[in-house]
Amino acid sequence: MPERFEVACVVVGMLQGNCYLVRLADSGEGLVIDPGDQADVIAREIKGFKLRPEAILLTHGHIDHANAAAELRDRLKARVVCHKLDAPLVRARDEEDDLFGMTHRPCPVDQEVSDGDVLAVGGAEVAVLHTPGHTRGSVCYVLGGILFSGDTLFQGSIGRTDLPGGSERQMRSTLMDRIAKLDDRVVVFPGHGPRTTIGEEKQYNPFLQAQW
Ligand SMILES: [Zn+2]
Ligand SMILES: [Zn+2]
C-alpha cells in the first residue's frame, strides 16, 4: 500500500515554474520536484511544510525547473535525479542561457534515470515515465494517482517542441502512446499553471485528440 502523502506547490522565478513539495504523511520524508529558482523561498516552504527531502527530482533540464537545484542540494543534502539524456543540460557550465535570458547555475546529477525506473523515497515508490518531445530527456514522475508532468502536459496545452532537443514527432507519440493511456482519474501537476486530470485533458486538450 502506498503511504499517504501531501503535495504543496511553490511558484518560483520569472517564468513562474511550479516547484512541488511532496511529503509522506507518516514519516515527513519526501521530495522536491523542479526547484526552478528562488532557493530561499523554497527552503522556507520546506521548513513550514515540515518536509525532510531525500531527493530533488527534475522533470527535465531547463533552467526554469533546475536553477535552484544546486543550492538546495547543498543545503538539504539531498540527491539530484534527472533522466540521463537531460543530465548534461543540468551539469552544463555556468553561463548566460540564450533561451531564457537567465544565468544558468550548473548542478551535479547524482542519479540518472531511465524509463521504467522506480525510485524509493521514504517507503513510497515513484515511477519514471520517459516522455520526450519538449526535451530529449523529459520525464513524468508517477506517485500514487498523481502525475508530475513537467513541461510535457499543461492544462489545455503542451510544452514547446521548437527548442533544442525538442521534437514534435516525439511529443505526438509521447501524448498518444503514453499520456493518453493513463487512467482518466490520474491527477496532473504540471510544470506551469493549474493542476488538471488525464480525463479532463483527454476531453478538452486539443493536443490529446487523435487528429492532431
Ligand atoms: Zn522546459
Ligand atoms: Zn518550464
Side-chain angles (χ1 to χ4, degrees):
M1 277 291 283
E3 280 191 74
R4 288 183 305 119
F5 54 89
E6 300 163 313
V7 181
C9 177
V10 195
V11 180
V12 290
M14 218 167 53
L15 296 171
Q16 299 280 286
N18 291 335
C19 172
Y20 293 106
L21 309 180
V22 182
R23 180 180 180 279
L24 303 176
D26 296 334
S27 66
E29 290 169 340
L31 39 90
V32 178
I33 300 177
D34 283 356
D37 204 357
Q38 298 181 284
D40 282 339
V41 173
I42 296 170
R44 205 181 317 130
E45 293 290 329
I46 288 170
K47 212 169 163 199
F49 201 40
K50 295 188 169 40
L51 168 67
R52 282 181 290 112
E54 262 186 31
I56 297 166
L57 308 189
L58 306 178
T59 58
H60 63 295
H62 283 157
I63 59 174
D64 59 320
H65 297 257
N67 235 12
E71 190 175 336
L72 288 174
R73 176 180 179 270
D74 284 348
R75 286 164 73 154
L76 305 169
K77 309 287 176 238
R79 70 189 197 272
V80 170
V81 179
C82 176
H83 189 273
K84 59 185 177 185
L85 293 177
D86 269 21
L89 293 178
V90 179
R91 296 190 182 110
R93 288 160 57 86
D94 216 342
E95 57 194 17
E96 188 83 1
D97 188 299
D98 298 336
L99 296 176
F100 300 102
M102 297 158 69
T103 300
H104 172 79
R105 299 192 200 99
C107 179
V109 175
D110 303 291
Q111 185 179 4
E112 295 186 6
V113 291
S114 307
D115 187 52
D117 286 355
V118 177
L119 304 162
V121 180
E125 291 187 335
V126 182
V128 178
L129 194 64
H130 185 210
T131 54
H134 177 64
T135 62
R136 273 189 284 270
S138 282
V139 298
C140 296
Y141 294 105
V142 185
L143 171 62
I146 293 183
L147 182 83
F148 295 95
S149 65
D151 286 358
T152 296
L153 181 68
F154 303 130
Q155 185 196 54
S157 187
I158 57 170
R160 295 171 60 168
T161 56
D162 59 335
L163 299 171
S167 157
E168 190 178 299
R169 184 185 57 78
Q170 281 189 323
M171 182 62 104
R172 212 182 283 266
S173 93
T174 282
L175 294 172
M176 292 303 148
D177 303 338
R178 315 220 79 178
I179 301 294
K181 296 206 168 133
L182 297 169
D183 192 286
D184 282 359
R185 289 166 300 182
V186 169
V187 180
V188 180
F189 286 72
H192 303 270
R195 76 181 64 167
T196 180
T197 64
I198 292 294
E200 280 176 56
E201 294 315 299
K202 277 200 243 176
Q203 199 171 350
Y204 300 114
N205 191 325
F207 298 98
L208 280 172
Q209 310 308 318
Q211 66 271 23
W212 175 60

